[in-house]
Amino acid sequence: MIEDDIRAAYTGRADEYTDLLGSIEDMEAPDVSRIAAWADERTGAVLDAGCGPGHWTAFLADRGLDARGVDLVPAFVSGARARFPRCRFEVGDLERLPFEDACFDGVLAWYSLIHREPARMPSALAELRRVMRPGASLLVGFFTGDVLEPFAHAVTPAYRWPVDALVRVVEENGFRVDDTETRRRPGARTHASISAHRAVSSAIE
């Protein structure tokens, strides 16, 4: 299963990943601003889906939100619990989340869907939608490009998505897109994000 491959790949490099990218200070300023602006419009409970080392979960909590983190990789979760004991972290697959229906006011999926095979993106989005209250907000960060294609990510293969292609999949799975942003970074892969909200009703219900 792809989850086993992802878990094994990140487990083997969890400490390295945390050292390189496990704090807000390691993040790019536009990403911090984007997530801060999103967080400041939220109230109540939010989920950091695919939280990795837990730094974004703690960032959300520091902004007054009831933030929880979930990740497929037990090494990330144990490390996050040790580093940020004030936050709650759980091991879980984004397609089988250990939460009740409609319990979050927002979900952050910041680069946590990049390894998902395109054919399985709808099931991941459907599961995120399941745990969100109607009208709750979803913020997705991802790599973008002119065509949907896999590439050799440093840890395990990932995908670039054209923004319009991922927007279409998001909207086909019970969300309404509010805005998108794209940022070309010299010497780095092109970044994009999508902000959307869970539709109160949709054709999939």
Side-chain angles (χ1 to χ4, degrees):
M1 292 178 64
I2 186 66
E3 289 87 354
D4 294 334
D5 295 337
I6 294 171
R7 185 186 296 108
Y10 275 98
T11 296
R13 302 183 68 176
D15 290 342
E16 176 188 1
Y17 188 98
T18 300
D19 288 342
L20 290 174
L21 298 169
S23 70
I24 296 301
E25 292 73 24
D26 299 322
M27 302 294 98
E28 295 191 12
D31 292 350
V32 177
S33 296
R34 173 74 158 160
I35 294 174
W38 176 83
D40 290 346
E41 294 180 353
R42 312 274 72 79
T43 58
V46 296
L47 176 66
D48 183 7
C51 64
H55 52 294
W56 287 121
T57 314
F59 179 79
L60 296 173
D62 286 344
R63 302 189 82 82
L65 296 172
D66 177 13
R68 301 181 67 172
V70 64
D71 201 275
L72 181 67
V73 181
F76 276 148
V77 171
S78 61
R81 286 171 175 166
R83 296 171 70 222
F84 307 110
R86 68 190 184 282
C87 299
R88 291 176 291 172
F89 298 95
E90 297 186 47
V91 176
D93 180 354
L94 296 192
E95 291 187 33
R96 292 176 293 276
L97 291 169
F99 305 112
E100 297 178 357
D101 293 355
C103 61
F104 291 106
D105 297 299
V107 171
L108 176 67
W110 202 250
Y111 283 86
S112 56
L113 298 173
I114 61 171
H115 303 294
R116 191 77 39 178
E117 295 171 326
R120 294 180 60 187
M121 188 65 81
S123 60
L125 289 169
E127 181 65 352
L128 295 180
R129 184 179 185 276
R130 179 187 68 77
V131 301
M132 296 170 66
R133 297 188 178 104
S137 180
L138 171 69
L139 182 61
V140 180
F142 59 102
F143 295 114
T144 189
D146 293 333
V147 297
L148 173 53
E149 61 182 1
F151 68 91
H153 184 272
V155 180
T156 191
Y159 290 85
R160 297 185 185 92
W161 281 80
V163 174
D164 59 349
L166 191 52
V167 163
R168 183 166 58 252
V169 175
V170 167
E171 293 201 322
E172 286 173 350
N173 286 276
F175 294 90
R176 297 291 177 267
V177 169
D178 299 312
D179 66 72
T180 67
E181 58 102 15
T182 303
R183 187 173 74 255
R184 297 188 181 278
R185 303 171 291 177
R189 301 183 182 101
T190 303
H191 157 87
S193 69
I194 295 172
S195 175
H197 64 275
R198 183 195 188 278
V200 175
S201 61
S202 77
I204 67 171
E205 291 186 317

